[in-house]
Amino acid sequence: MLSSSSSKTQSRRSMVSADRTSWYFTAVILALILVGSIRANSQAEDDTVRGGQLLHRPCDEIYVVGEGETLHTISDKCGDPFIVERNPHIQDPDDVFPGLVIKIIPSTPRKF
């Protein structure tokens, strides 16, 4: 009788160990897929192909100002030093607020 009970206990431990191993393996695979997907998406968003050349394009032509951004930071980020000149609706360059829509035209795209 003890032998049968011991055998069942050993069998349960093996099953629990196998279940844990499969869950850990599944979690690792999902994490690798997620990391690979994030890396692929961020690279696809930052790079554009034009005329066979790979160009860095961080901003769209229509840009929505985010929290904490200034025209200076947007100009540096997007490569457009003439934001105020291209956006006559901006009366005061210091009065930029989140949600403001501006036109961006990069002066020279940066090559990688």
Side-chain angles (χ1 to χ4, degrees):
M1 194 89 160
L2 290 174
S3 164
S4 173
S5 176
S6 175
S7 173
K8 286 181 183 178
T9 303
Q10 183 65 23
S11 177
R12 285 185 191 145
R13 286 182 185 163
S14 294
M15 289 177 58
V16 168
S17 177
D19 284 344
R20 285 183 183 162
T21 302
S22 66
W23 278 109
Y24 291 137
F25 180 74
T26 301
V28 168
I29 293 297
L30 287 175
L32 289 172
I33 291 171
L34 180 63
V35 168
S37 174
I38 291 171
R39 184 175 294 157
N41 286 340
S42 67
Q43 187 176 21
E45 289 173 359
D46 289 345
D47 298 330
T48 303
V49 176
R50 279 195 194 156
Q53 294 180 345
L54 191 60
L55 303 175
H56 184 66
R57 179 100 190 245
C59 303
D60 292 329
E61 186 174 330
I62 302 300
Y63 187 88
V64 180
V65 177
E67 185 73 33
E69 290 185 309
T70 65
L71 290 181
H72 182 71
T73 60
I74 296 169
S75 175
D76 287 346
K77 176 181 175 183
C78 299
D80 184 359
F82 304 106
I83 293 176
V84 175
E85 290 82 356
R86 292 190 176 115
N87 294 279
H89 63 281
I90 299 176
Q91 302 299 321
D92 182 5
D94 295 325
D95 187 25
V96 177
F97 52 89
L100 178 67
V101 177
I102 57 177
K103 182 176 182 178
I104 301 289
I105 301 174
S107 58
T108 55
R110 291 180 273 172
K111 295 181 183 180
F112 283 91

